[in-house]
Amino acid sequence: MTKAVYPGSFDPVTFGHLDVIMRATEIFDEVIIGVLHNSTKTPLFSVEERVNILKKATEGMPQVTVLPFSGLSVDFAKACNAKVIVRGLRAITDFEYELQMAQTNRELESGVDTTFLITSLQYAYLSSTTVKEVAEFGGNISKFVPEFVAKEMQKKLREKREC
Ligand code: ADP
């Protein structure tokens, strides 16, 4: 049985992430999405909220599990008993960072390898950061994230403005 972890911030999950998740389930028997809790960053959604959003977004995918994690992706992979880390590659700008990370991870843990899924063309431009920027300025994000995620974002941004 092949198991892979897909670590990331997912703040918020986009159609680009969901495309990678769907394609990973066609390659691996089990895909564990690791939602990173990074205490040095202030995300829009808390780690619990991101986990719940991802669980809802992947409801129809029985091979997918969603878990929070902090620390190194290789340690998360080891704890899940997975030998593969999945990452998405959008552009050459992703490549340099991802190559360095994958090589560092191999040095840290030779039993865990990284697999890259090249983004589908229609999502190549998409990033969580851009989606947040568009939403903050009141733009339409329905092409970028599932409808319920767009609603959660609008609610969150309203709450932020009221504070
Ligand atoms: P980051 O590592 O910048 O925090 P995210 O947490 O948003 O990235 O994303 C997790 C993974 O999903 C990364 O491998 C990232 O390259 C990939 N990814 C993000 N957006 C897309 C997209 N539109 N298409 C394919 N892969 C993507």
Side-chain angles (χ1 to χ4, degrees), residues 21-87:
I21 295 166
M22 209 131 60
R23 287 161 59 206
T25 63
E26 283 163 17
I27 302 169
F28 302 102
D29 298 309
E30 194 180 338
V31 177
I32 303 161
I33 304 171
V35 181
L36 181 66
H37 171 66
N38 184 345
S39 53
T40 64
K41 281 190 185 170
T42 314
L44 179 63
F45 291 105
S46 70
V47 70
E48 293 81 13
E49 288 169 331
R50 283 177 279 143
V51 165
N52 288 335
I53 288 172
L54 266 153
K55 279 186 180 168
K56 194 166 169 184
T58 57
E59 246 166 21
M61 302 182 202
Q63 310 101 299
V64 174
T65 315
V66 187
L67 292 174
F69 83 102
S70 52
L72 297 171
S73 297
V74 274
D75 289 340
F76 176 63
K78 260 180 73 184
C80 294
N81 233 338
K83 289 193 166 63
V84 179
I85 294 174
V86 171
R87 296 286 289 173

Side-chain angles (χ1 to χ4, degrees), residues 87-159:
R87 296 286 289 173
L89 274 185
R90 281 163 292 195
I92 200 76
T93 40
D94 278 345
F95 180 76
E96 262 191 59
Y97 170 75
E98 293 292 344
L99 175 74
Q100 203 176 19
M101 270 318 296
Q103 287 172 335
T104 306
N105 285 339
R106 283 276 290 165
E107 283 302 312
L108 290 171
E109 184 52 58
S110 60
V112 177
D113 229 316
T114 305
T115 292
F116 295 104
L117 292 181
I118 307 293
T119 181
S120 295
L121 216 49
Q122 76 259 42
Y123 304 126
Y125 62 90
L126 205 47
S127 77
S128 299
T129 307
T130 315
V131 172
K132 278 184 281 196
E133 272 170 17
V134 173
E136 266 172 44
F137 290 108
N140 183 357
I141 52 168
S142 62
K143 278 191 185 160
F144 312 143
V145 297
E147 201 184 319
F148 83 93
V149 179
K151 284 193 179 135
E152 290 290 336
M153 282 188 78
Q154 277 143 10
K155 197 170 124 200
K156 188 57 102 178
L157 289 168
R158 257 199 317 272
E159 283 167 11

